Amino acid sequence: MKMQSVGFKADSKLEDFINQKLKKLEKLESKITTYDVKLNVDKASNRENKVVEVKVKVPGSELFAKKQSKTFEEATDMVAEALRAQIIKYKENKFK
């Protein structure tokens, strides 16, 4: 898992939280090859300024989700849910 935090240093607690959340996706799709995670603080918006972007590579495809919230944990939850839905769709299309 490649994690990049732009403009700040993510602490290990946050990294562990994100890691745990995303690893749960492997229960749906065991062939996930890479995770690219980008954490950012959006200076333009004042309250909900924590942005989490995740790119997930699966055989023959790349899934992507980007969410913004008031905490990185909340944004991570939303990203994981969005990716979960995309993985389900990916698997349905794979078996058509």
Side-chain angles (χ1 to χ4, degrees):
M1 182 177 298
K2 193 174 94 180
M3 200 171 306
Q4 173 188 9
S5 47
V6 180
F8 73 100
K9 172 79 175 101
D11 64 1
S12 60
K13 200 170 115 183
L14 176 61
E15 289 180 359
D16 290 346
F17 176 84
I18 293 169
N19 208 352
Q20 276 184 316
K21 276 287 176 191
L22 296 179
K23 287 292 181 190
K24 287 181 181 176
L25 296 173
E26 292 176 13
K27 291 178 183 165
L28 288 171
E29 177 54 72
S30 60
K31 293 182 174 84
I32 293 174
T33 55
T34 60
Y35 298 89
D36 285 331
V37 180
K38 186 176 174 187
L39 307 174
N40 202 345
V41 178
D42 183 0
K43 303 278 188 272
S45 99
N46 51 7
R47 291 194 50 115
E48 296 201 353
N49 64 347
K50 310 298 187 293
V51 181
V52 176
E53 298 177 36
V54 180
K55 204 183 312 180
V56 176
K57 289 191 174 116
V58 290
S61 192
E62 191 173 87
L63 309 174
F64 177 80
K66 176 181 178 179
K67 298 291 177 188
Q68 189 167 338
S69 188
K70 52 186 175 299
T71 67
F72 283 115
E73 290 81 2
E74 199 173 290
T76 300
D77 283 339
M78 295 187 309
V79 162
E81 193 51 45
L83 288 170
R84 188 178 171 284
Q86 289 179 40
I87 289 170
I88 290 168
K89 229 181 235 179
Y90 161 79
K91 288 183 81 164
E92 285 171 357
N93 291 336
K94 194 166 74 169
F95 294 113
K96 280 187 178 173

XYZ file of all heavy atoms in Angstrom:
776
model
N 0.853 -1.179 0.000
C 0.000 0.000 0.000
C 0.895 1.237 0.000
O 1.766 1.372 0.843
C -0.919 0.000 1.223
C -1.847 1.193 1.237
S -3.033 1.221 2.593
C -3.973 -0.244 2.287
N 0.658 2.092 -0.961
C 1.417 3.332 -1.054
C 0.553 4.456 -0.501
O -0.567 4.661 -0.953
C 1.780 3.589 -2.522
C 2.821 4.671 -2.707
C 3.239 4.771 -4.160
C 2.393 5.837 -4.808
N 2.671 6.073 -6.209
N 1.052 5.148 0.516
C 0.286 6.232 1.124
C 1.084 7.525 1.054
O 2.257 7.552 1.394
C -0.059 5.894 2.571
C -1.211 6.712 3.089
S -1.844 6.189 4.701
C -2.202 4.479 4.498
N 0.410 8.575 0.599
C 1.061 9.869 0.456
C 0.173 10.911 1.141
O -1.016 10.986 0.888
C 1.188 10.171 -1.047
C 1.686 11.534 -1.381
C 1.592 11.799 -2.887
O 1.010 11.042 -3.637
N 2.151 12.907 -3.316
N 0.777 11.688 2.029
C 0.041 12.791 2.650
C 0.656 14.095 2.163
O 1.857 14.288 2.273
C 0.052 12.679 4.171
O 1.336 12.418 4.653
N -0.175 14.936 1.595
C 0.289 16.176 0.971
C 0.197 17.333 1.965
O -0.870 17.636 2.478
C -0.545 16.495 -0.291
C -0.065 17.777 -0.948
C -0.502 15.335 -1.270
N 1.335 17.955 2.267
C 1.354 19.132 3.118
C 1.318 18.866 4.615
O 1.251 19.788 5.411
N 1.346 17.608 5.011
C 1.382 17.265 6.439
C 1.900 15.841 6.591
O 1.997 15.103 5.625
C -0.013 17.403 7.080
C -0.966 16.320 6.675
C -1.218 15.240 7.509
C -1.613 16.369 5.450
C -2.088 14.229 7.133
C -2.492 15.377 5.060
C -2.724 14.295 5.904
N 2.212 15.451 7.811
C 2.692 14.102 8.102
C 1.569 13.329 8.788
O 1.137 13.687 9.873
C 3.935 14.191 9.009
C 4.429 12.877 9.547
C 5.238 12.122 8.512
C 5.831 10.857 9.080
N 5.101 9.653 8.737
N 1.078 12.293 8.116
C 0.031 11.460 8.709
C 0.641 10.627 9.835
O 1.714 10.059 9.673
C -0.571 10.547 7.650
N -0.044 10.576 10.978
C 0.488 9.769 12.080
C 0.178 8.288 11.840
O -0.655 7.930 11.022
C -0.010 10.258 13.439
C -1.513 10.118 13.624
O -2.198 9.625 12.717
O -2.002 10.518 14.692
N 0.878 7.444 12.578
C 0.750 5.995 12.354
C -0.655 5.493 12.698
O -1.128 4.533 12.099
C 1.810 5.233 13.149
O 1.666 5.492 14.527
N -1.330 6.151 13.631
C -2.695 5.754 13.994
C -3.642 5.927 12.797
O -4.437 5.042 12.502
C -3.165 6.600 15.179
C -4.321 6.000 15.949
C -4.550 6.780 17.236
C -5.909 7.435 17.139
N -6.260 8.272 18.254
N -3.515 7.048 12.105
C -4.332 7.298 10.923
C -3.980 6.312 9.811
O -4.867 5.738 9.178
C -4.141 8.739 10.432
C -4.876 9.118 9.136
C -6.385 8.966 9.304
C -4.530 10.541 8.723
N -2.687 6.091 9.591
C -2.257 5.137 8.563
C -2.784 3.734 8.851
O -3.240 3.041 7.944
C -0.732 5.137 8.441
C -0.201 6.402 7.803
C 1.318 6.431 7.673
O 1.990 5.463 8.097
O 1.824 7.428 7.142
N -2.727 3.319 10.110
C -3.242 1.996 10.493
C -4.747 1.905 10.246
O -5.241 0.878 9.776
C -2.951 1.699 11.971
C -1.463 1.470 12.229
O -0.701 1.272 11.261
O -1.070 1.510 13.411
N -5.477 2.959 10.592
C -6.932 2.993 10.386
C -7.262 2.817 8.901
O -8.101 2.002 8.530
C -7.501 4.319 10.910
C -8.977 4.477 10.655
C -9.907 3.921 11.522
C -9.437 5.168 9.542
C -11.270 4.055 11.283
C -10.792 5.307 9.291
C -11.714 4.743 10.170
N -6.578 3.584 8.053
C -6.821 3.512 6.606
C -6.461 2.127 6.077
O -7.213 1.527 5.313
C -6.018 4.619 5.879
C -6.585 5.994 6.265
C -6.056 4.418 4.367
C -5.732 7.172 5.838
N -5.327 1.614 6.523
C -4.867 0.289 6.117
C -5.910 -0.780 6.457
O -6.249 -1.613 5.617
C -3.545 -0.006 6.822
C -2.682 -0.948 6.044
O -3.081 -1.513 5.043
N -1.465 -1.112 6.522
N -6.412 -0.752 7.686
C -7.416 -1.730 8.127
C -8.689 -1.641 7.289
O -9.248 -2.654 6.883
C -7.775 -1.501 9.593
C -6.827 -2.144 10.553
C -7.309 -1.938 11.985
O -7.732 -0.850 12.361
N -7.239 -2.982 12.771
N -9.164 -0.417 7.062
C -10.393 -0.203 6.296
C -10.261 -0.760 4.885
O -11.159 -1.421 4.383
C -10.727 1.300 6.203
C -11.465 1.816 7.385
C -12.891 1.320 7.367
C -13.581 1.775 8.617
N -14.852 1.167 8.852
N -9.145 -0.455 4.241
C -8.976 -0.864 2.847
C -8.704 -2.362 2.709
O -9.135 -2.982 1.746
C -7.876 -0.043 2.185
C -8.179 1.462 2.078
C -7.019 2.197 1.443
C -9.464 1.727 1.314
N -8.013 -2.940 3.675
C -7.731 -4.383 3.625
C -9.022 -5.202 3.670
O -9.069 -6.307 3.152
C -6.795 -4.803 4.764
C -5.371 -4.349 4.570
C -4.706 -5.068 3.424
C -3.282 -4.630 3.246
N -2.686 -5.136 2.017
N -10.082 -4.640 4.269
C -11.367 -5.345 4.331
C -11.948 -5.557 2.930
O -12.737 -6.469 2.719
C -12.370 -4.576 5.191
C -12.058 -4.660 6.666
C -13.079 -3.908 7.488
C -12.730 -3.980 8.960
N -13.635 -3.178 9.778
N -11.540 -4.723 1.977
C -12.020 -4.873 0.603
C -11.550 -6.192 -0.008
O -12.181 -6.716 -0.921
C -11.541 -3.704 -0.260
C -12.067 -2.323 0.112
C -11.370 -1.254 -0.724
C -13.576 -2.234 -0.046
N -10.466 -6.729 0.518
C -9.924 -7.986 -0.013
C -10.832 -9.178 0.284
O -10.686 -10.222 -0.334
C -8.510 -8.218 0.511
C -7.544 -7.197 -0.065
C -6.136 -7.310 0.480
O -5.799 -8.318 1.125
O -5.371 -6.357 0.269
N -11.771 -9.014 1.198
C -12.760 -10.073 1.427
C -13.692 -10.189 0.225
O -14.204 -11.256 -0.067
C -13.577 -9.786 2.691
C -12.767 -9.921 3.958
C -13.590 -9.577 5.175
C -12.742 -9.636 6.432
N -13.375 -8.980 7.563
N -13.903 -9.058 -0.458
C -14.743 -9.046 -1.659
C -13.962 -9.450 -2.904
O -14.475 -10.129 -3.769
C -15.318 -7.638 -1.896
C -16.402 -7.166 -0.959
C -16.693 -5.694 -1.208
C -17.670 -7.971 -1.170
N -12.739 -8.972 -2.995
C -11.901 -9.241 -4.174
C -10.474 -9.516 -3.718
O -9.766 -8.609 -3.298
C -11.933 -8.043 -5.130
C -11.047 -8.175 -6.347
C -11.305 -9.437 -7.155
O -12.345 -9.529 -7.824
O -10.450 -10.346 -7.111
N -10.083 -10.775 -3.812
C -8.760 -11.169 -3.310
C -7.632 -10.798 -4.274
O -6.471 -10.847 -3.908
C -8.732 -12.670 -3.054
O -9.004 -13.361 -4.266
N -7.973 -10.412 -5.494
C -6.940 -10.132 -6.492
C -6.581 -8.641 -6.599
O -6.111 -8.193 -7.634
C -7.396 -10.658 -7.856
C -7.478 -12.169 -7.899
C -7.879 -12.646 -9.276
C -7.834 -14.145 -9.374
N -9.035 -14.784 -8.882
N -6.807 -7.881 -5.543
C -6.382 -6.485 -5.529
C -4.858 -6.474 -5.507
O -4.245 -7.110 -4.650
C -6.951 -5.727 -4.308
C -8.480 -5.613 -4.431
C -6.303 -4.347 -4.182
C -9.170 -5.019 -3.218
N -4.256 -5.774 -6.480
C -2.796 -5.801 -6.559
C -2.146 -4.621 -5.845
O -1.127 -4.797 -5.183
C -2.315 -5.839 -8.029
O -2.890 -4.741 -8.728
C -2.712 -7.143 -8.695
N -2.722 -3.411 -5.977
C -2.124 -2.258 -5.300
C -3.190 -1.281 -4.820
O -4.292 -1.223 -5.367
C -1.171 -1.455 -6.223
O -1.902 -0.981 -7.340
C 0.008 -2.257 -6.675
N -2.807 -0.553 -3.789
C -3.606 0.553 -3.271
C -2.731 1.796 -3.339
O -1.613 1.774 -2.836
C -3.964 0.355 -1.797
C -4.795 -0.844 -1.458
C -4.199 -2.060 -1.159
C -6.180 -0.744 -1.386
C -4.969 -3.156 -0.811
C -6.947 -1.840 -1.042
C -6.340 -3.048 -0.754
O -7.098 -4.118 -0.412
N -3.234 2.856 -3.953
C -2.547 4.146 -3.910
C -3.445 5.101 -3.140
O -4.554 5.401 -3.577
C -2.304 4.705 -5.319
C -1.172 3.980 -6.034
O -0.265 3.484 -5.341
O -1.197 3.913 -7.274
N -2.976 5.558 -2.000
C -3.776 6.420 -1.131
C -3.141 7.805 -1.092
O -1.929 7.932 -0.909
C -3.841 5.847 0.307
C -4.683 6.744 1.206
C -4.383 4.426 0.292
N -3.977 8.818 -1.268
C -3.486 10.201 -1.192
C -4.360 10.959 -0.205
O -5.579 10.994 -0.341
C -3.546 10.842 -2.576
C -2.937 12.220 -2.634
C -2.950 12.732 -4.070
C -2.479 14.158 -4.154
N -2.658 14.689 -5.522
N -3.723 11.551 0.796
C -4.415 12.354 1.804
C -4.054 13.810 1.565
O -2.896 14.130 1.317
C -3.965 11.943 3.208
C -4.058 10.462 3.542
C -3.442 10.203 4.912
C -5.486 9.991 3.505
N -5.047 14.668 1.669
C -4.829 16.072 1.358
C -5.731 16.923 2.239
O -6.815 16.499 2.616
C -5.182 16.292 -0.121
C -4.518 17.506 -0.698
O -4.012 18.358 0.025
N -4.524 17.596 -2.010
N -5.291 18.130 2.533
C -6.127 19.097 3.241
C -6.473 20.195 2.236
O -5.585 20.874 1.726
C -5.403 19.690 4.479
C -6.283 20.716 5.158
C -5.025 18.589 5.448
N -7.757 20.319 1.934
C -8.234 21.301 0.966
C -8.322 22.665 1.638
O -9.155 22.884 2.509
C -9.600 20.858 0.424
C -10.138 21.796 -0.645
O -9.460 22.786 -0.967
O -11.234 21.528 -1.149
N -7.461 23.567 1.243
C -7.404 24.891 1.878
C -8.623 25.751 1.549
O -8.984 26.643 2.292
C -6.138 25.643 1.418
C -4.846 24.910 1.704
C -4.383 25.096 3.118
C -3.030 24.545 3.383
N -2.926 23.188 3.771
N -9.275 25.482 0.418
C -10.406 26.318 -0.021
C -11.626 26.170 0.893
O -12.321 27.132 1.174
C -10.781 25.967 -1.455
N -11.873 24.948 1.354
C -13.045 24.770 2.220
C -12.574 24.703 3.668
O -11.522 24.151 3.961
C -13.815 23.516 1.802
O -13.515 22.441 2.612
N -13.328 25.296 4.569
C -12.826 25.448 5.926
C -13.145 24.284 6.859
O -12.330 23.887 7.637
C -13.311 26.763 6.538
C -14.803 26.949 6.412
O -15.513 26.041 5.971
N -15.286 28.112 6.794
N -14.362 23.724 6.798
C -14.730 22.685 7.766
C -14.485 21.281 7.224
O -13.775 20.504 7.830
C -16.188 22.840 8.172
C -16.431 24.088 9.000
C -17.767 24.018 9.654
N -17.911 22.741 10.345
C -18.026 22.609 11.640
N -18.015 23.658 12.395
N -18.166 21.428 12.191
N -15.111 20.955 6.117
C -14.951 19.612 5.554
C -13.792 19.628 4.572
O -13.979 19.562 3.369
C -16.257 19.168 4.892
C -17.389 19.033 5.892
C -18.511 18.146 5.409
O -18.495 17.733 4.242
O -19.398 17.865 6.214
N -12.583 19.742 5.129
C -11.421 19.957 4.276
C -10.469 18.768 4.183
O -9.398 18.883 3.619
C -10.654 21.197 4.739
C -10.080 21.033 6.126
O -10.439 20.111 6.852
N -9.180 21.928 6.498
N -10.839 17.627 4.727
C -9.971 16.452 4.666
C -10.377 15.608 3.460
O -11.509 15.161 3.356
C -10.093 15.599 5.938
C -9.955 16.364 7.252
C -8.618 17.016 7.432
C -8.414 17.634 8.792
N -9.256 18.773 9.094
N -9.423 15.402 2.555
C -9.691 14.693 1.307
C -8.897 13.390 1.281
O -7.697 13.377 1.552
C -9.303 15.559 0.082
C -9.615 14.830 -1.218
C -10.009 16.907 0.129
N -9.602 12.297 0.955
C -8.963 10.995 0.813
C -9.248 10.491 -0.601
O -10.400 10.427 -1.011
C -9.494 9.976 1.855
C -8.887 8.598 1.631
C -9.203 10.457 3.272
N -8.179 10.166 -1.336
C -8.307 9.598 -2.677
C -7.655 8.221 -2.651
O -6.555 8.072 -2.116
C -7.562 10.439 -3.713
C -8.058 11.841 -3.869
C -7.207 12.635 -4.869
O -6.748 12.048 -5.882
O -7.008 13.826 -4.626
N -8.333 7.240 -3.232
C -7.767 5.894 -3.275
C -7.949 5.311 -4.669
O -9.055 5.328 -5.216
C -8.422 4.953 -2.234
C -7.810 3.553 -2.317
C -8.267 5.507 -0.825
N -6.839 4.810 -5.209
C -6.856 4.100 -6.480
C -6.537 2.641 -6.170
O -5.556 2.352 -5.485
C -5.776 4.688 -7.394
C -6.020 4.488 -8.860
C -4.894 5.021 -9.728
C -4.435 6.418 -9.391
N -3.342 6.887 -10.254
N -7.369 1.738 -6.647
C -7.188 0.313 -6.385
C -7.042 -0.390 -7.728
O -7.869 -0.203 -8.621
C -8.410 -0.263 -5.629
C -8.265 -1.761 -5.446
C -8.580 0.412 -4.283
N -5.989 -1.192 -7.859
C -5.794 -1.945 -9.095
C -6.269 -3.380 -8.887
O -5.890 -4.036 -7.915
C -4.331 -1.919 -9.514
C -3.915 -0.554 -10.019
C -2.564 -0.593 -10.688
C -2.275 0.749 -11.300
N -1.154 1.455 -10.746
N -7.104 -3.802 -9.817
C -7.573 -5.188 -9.861
C -7.277 -5.697 -11.275
O -7.089 -4.888 -12.184
C -9.082 -5.295 -9.531
C -9.333 -4.980 -8.073
C -9.921 -4.395 -10.415
N -7.246 -7.004 -11.496
C -6.906 -7.503 -12.836
C -7.804 -6.891 -13.921
O -9.019 -6.983 -13.862
C -7.144 -9.008 -12.713
C -6.924 -9.289 -11.257
C -7.445 -8.073 -10.536
N -7.159 -6.206 -14.859
C -7.880 -5.652 -15.998
C -8.617 -4.352 -15.735
O -9.328 -3.860 -16.599
N -8.463 -3.785 -14.544
C -9.203 -2.566 -14.244
C -8.540 -1.770 -13.122
O -7.698 -2.276 -12.389
C -10.636 -2.927 -13.837
O -11.445 -1.774 -13.808
N -8.973 -0.523 -13.021
C -8.510 0.342 -11.946
C -9.739 1.045 -11.376
O -10.527 1.620 -12.116
C -7.519 1.360 -12.524
C -6.771 2.129 -11.488
C -5.687 2.996 -12.113
O -6.014 4.127 -12.491
O -4.540 2.527 -12.224
N -9.916 0.966 -10.075
C -11.056 1.586 -9.410
C -10.558 2.807 -8.653
O -9.439 2.815 -8.141
C -11.715 0.585 -8.456
C -12.050 -0.787 -9.056
C -12.552 -1.721 -7.973
C -13.052 -0.668 -10.185
N -11.410 3.829 -8.557
C -10.987 5.070 -7.926
C -12.137 5.678 -7.141
O -13.282 5.660 -7.576
C -10.510 6.082 -8.994
C -10.115 7.409 -8.422
C -8.887 7.588 -7.827
C -10.989 8.486 -8.471
C -8.508 8.819 -7.288
C -10.625 9.722 -7.939
C -9.381 9.878 -7.353
N -11.815 6.225 -5.979
C -12.809 6.963 -5.192
C -12.113 8.122 -4.495
O -10.956 8.010 -4.070
C -13.478 6.053 -4.169
N -12.837 9.230 -4.396
C -12.321 10.422 -3.724
C -13.453 11.004 -2.895
O -14.542 11.241 -3.416
C -11.854 11.444 -4.764
C -11.385 12.758 -4.187
C -10.962 13.694 -5.307
C -10.525 15.040 -4.772
N -10.105 15.937 -5.864
N -13.212 11.199 -1.610
C -14.237 11.743 -0.719
C -13.627 12.818 0.161
O -12.447 12.783 0.495
C -14.852 10.642 0.155
C -15.569 9.551 -0.626
C -16.826 10.047 -1.282
C -17.478 8.960 -2.109
N -18.586 9.428 -2.895
N -14.485 13.730 0.562
C -14.064 14.850 1.403
C -14.991 14.923 2.613
O -16.198 14.784 2.483
C -14.167 16.127 0.568
C -13.575 17.337 1.224
C -13.411 18.484 0.230
O -13.356 18.267 -0.979
N -13.341 19.698 0.745
N -14.396 15.152 3.780
C -15.182 15.206 5.008
C -14.447 16.042 6.047
O -13.387 16.580 5.789
C -15.417 13.790 5.529
O -16.326 13.822 6.601
N -15.022 16.096 7.276
C -14.367 16.886 8.320
C -13.234 16.134 9.012
O -12.398 16.743 9.671
C -15.388 17.434 9.318
C -16.345 16.467 9.923
C -17.368 17.234 10.773
C -18.440 16.363 11.331
N -19.250 15.680 10.354
N -13.200 14.790 8.853
C -12.073 14.021 9.383
C -11.593 13.033 8.312
O -12.358 12.623 7.446
C -12.452 13.203 10.644
O -13.376 12.174 10.260
C -13.046 14.071 11.734
N -10.317 12.669 8.407
C -9.781 11.675 7.471
C -10.455 10.318 7.671
O -10.679 9.581 6.722
C -8.266 11.540 7.630
C -7.499 12.667 7.001
C -6.755 13.530 7.777
C -7.526 12.869 5.627
C -6.046 14.569 7.208
C -6.824 13.914 5.040
C -6.085 14.766 5.829
N -10.799 10.009 8.921
C -11.434 8.722 9.204
C -12.800 8.630 8.520
O -13.136 7.611 7.908
C -11.583 8.520 10.724
C -10.273 8.284 11.459
C -9.482 9.561 11.775
O -9.943 10.672 11.460
O -8.387 9.447 12.342
N -13.582 9.706 8.622
C -14.905 9.729 7.998
C -14.785 9.647 6.472
O -15.523 8.912 5.824
C -15.628 11.013 8.408
C -17.128 10.967 8.219
C -17.791 12.208 8.794
O -17.816 12.351 10.037
O -18.266 13.034 7.995
N -13.841 10.395 5.908
C -13.624 10.350 4.460
C -13.170 8.958 4.026
O -13.594 8.457 2.982
C -12.602 11.407 4.048
N -12.342 8.310 4.843
C -11.877 6.949 4.546
C -13.048 5.976 4.542
O -13.143 5.116 3.668
C -10.807 6.505 5.563
O -9.703 7.402 5.491
C -10.341 5.087 5.287
N -13.945 6.103 5.532
C -15.150 5.258 5.564
C -15.948 5.403 4.274
O -16.392 4.412 3.693
C -16.057 5.632 6.749
C -15.537 5.084 8.071
O -14.740 4.119 8.057
O -15.943 5.607 9.115
N -16.127 6.646 3.821
C -16.908 6.899 2.607
C -16.202 6.357 1.367
O -16.846 5.790 0.484
C -17.199 8.396 2.471
C -18.087 8.925 3.592
S -18.669 10.638 3.423
C -17.219 11.575 3.110
N -14.885 6.500 1.309
C -14.108 5.966 0.188
C -14.206 4.440 0.157
O -14.411 3.838 -0.896
C -12.623 6.420 0.273
C -11.722 5.553 -0.580
C -12.496 7.866 -0.144
N -14.056 3.813 1.322
C -14.122 2.347 1.396
C -15.491 1.852 0.927
O -15.581 0.859 0.205
C -13.835 1.869 2.815
N -16.549 2.548 1.310
C -17.903 2.168 0.893
C -18.071 2.331 -0.620
O -18.647 1.475 -1.286
C -18.944 3.009 1.655
C -20.346 2.505 1.540
C -20.517 1.024 1.857
O -19.960 0.529 2.854
O -21.215 0.332 1.075
N -17.552 3.428 -1.166
C -17.634 3.659 -2.617
C -16.855 2.578 -3.382
O -17.341 2.057 -4.395
C -17.098 5.044 -2.954
N -15.675 2.233 -2.885
C -14.874 1.191 -3.540
C -15.534 -0.170 -3.417
O -15.482 -0.979 -4.340
C -13.466 1.155 -2.955
C -12.571 2.329 -3.352
C -11.290 2.327 -2.533
C -12.250 2.305 -4.835
N -16.172 -0.409 -2.294
C -16.893 -1.669 -2.082
C -17.961 -1.839 -3.170
O -18.087 -2.904 -3.786
C -17.522 -1.654 -0.692
C -18.122 -2.928 -0.248
C -18.667 -2.779 1.194
N -19.436 -3.931 1.546
C -20.673 -4.180 1.112
N -21.273 -3.344 0.319
N -21.309 -5.273 1.473
N -18.724 -0.782 -3.422
C -19.763 -0.819 -4.452
C -19.142 -1.037 -5.837
O -19.680 -1.802 -6.653
C -20.569 0.475 -4.424
N -18.007 -0.386 -6.094
C -17.339 -0.549 -7.387
C -16.811 -1.970 -7.569
O -16.868 -2.526 -8.670
C -16.188 0.446 -7.521
C -16.640 1.875 -7.701
C -15.462 2.820 -7.810
O -14.452 2.512 -8.445
N -15.572 3.982 -7.187
N -16.296 -2.570 -6.505
C -15.786 -3.944 -6.582
C -16.927 -4.910 -6.881
O -16.787 -5.823 -7.696
C -15.035 -4.338 -5.286
C -13.709 -3.576 -5.218
C -14.800 -5.837 -5.207
C -12.984 -3.684 -3.895
N -18.062 -4.705 -6.239
C -19.225 -5.563 -6.500
C -19.622 -5.461 -7.976
O -19.857 -6.476 -8.640
C -20.394 -5.201 -5.557
C -20.037 -5.634 -4.127
C -21.699 -5.837 -6.019
C -20.956 -5.098 -3.045
N -19.672 -4.235 -8.495
C -20.003 -4.019 -9.906
C -18.963 -4.663 -10.820
O -19.299 -5.305 -11.819
C -20.073 -2.521 -10.186
C -21.301 -2.093 -10.929
C -21.266 -0.600 -11.173
C -22.536 -0.002 -10.627
N -22.617 1.432 -10.776
N -17.703 -4.486 -10.481
C -16.589 -5.071 -11.246
C -16.741 -6.586 -11.326
O -16.601 -7.175 -12.381
C -15.274 -4.656 -10.587
C -14.073 -5.501 -10.947
C -13.403 -5.332 -12.150
C -13.600 -6.484 -10.061
C -12.301 -6.109 -12.469
C -12.505 -7.254 -10.377
C -11.866 -7.067 -11.589
O -10.773 -7.842 -11.901
N -17.052 -7.205 -10.187
C -17.186 -8.666 -10.161
C -18.402 -9.126 -10.957
O -18.337 -10.146 -11.629
C -17.262 -9.145 -8.703
C -15.924 -9.032 -8.001
C -15.980 -9.553 -6.607
C -15.868 -11.039 -6.652
N -15.554 -11.670 -5.393
N -19.502 -8.370 -10.887
C -20.687 -8.718 -11.665
C -20.366 -8.680 -13.156
O -20.745 -9.570 -13.896
C -21.837 -7.761 -11.357
C -22.493 -8.013 -10.028
C -23.495 -6.918 -9.642
O -23.634 -5.927 -10.382
O -24.114 -7.052 -8.572
N -19.666 -7.630 -13.587
C -19.306 -7.489 -15.012
C -18.313 -8.542 -15.458
O -18.331 -8.966 -16.600
C -18.762 -6.082 -15.286
C -19.824 -5.020 -15.161
O -21.016 -5.294 -15.312
N -19.406 -3.808 -14.846
N -17.452 -8.955 -14.538
C -16.428 -9.947 -14.855
C -17.056 -11.303 -15.197
O -16.534 -12.046 -15.999
C -15.489 -10.083 -13.636
C -14.212 -10.813 -13.919
C -13.207 -10.621 -12.791
C -13.589 -11.431 -11.580
N -12.524 -11.481 -10.569
N -18.180 -11.590 -14.588
C -18.802 -12.906 -14.771
C -19.959 -12.899 -15.762
O -20.719 -13.846 -15.833
C -19.255 -13.476 -13.422
C -18.091 -13.769 -12.514
C -17.902 -13.044 -11.358
C -17.168 -14.747 -12.833
C -16.826 -13.288 -10.520
C -16.085 -14.999 -12.010
C -15.920 -14.276 -10.853
N -20.114 -11.805 -16.520
C -21.183 -11.762 -17.526
C -20.768 -12.487 -18.780
O -19.643 -12.562 -19.142
C -21.539 -10.310 -17.857
C -22.448 -9.730 -16.821
C -22.913 -8.371 -17.271
C -23.874 -7.824 -16.222
N -24.261 -6.483 -16.453
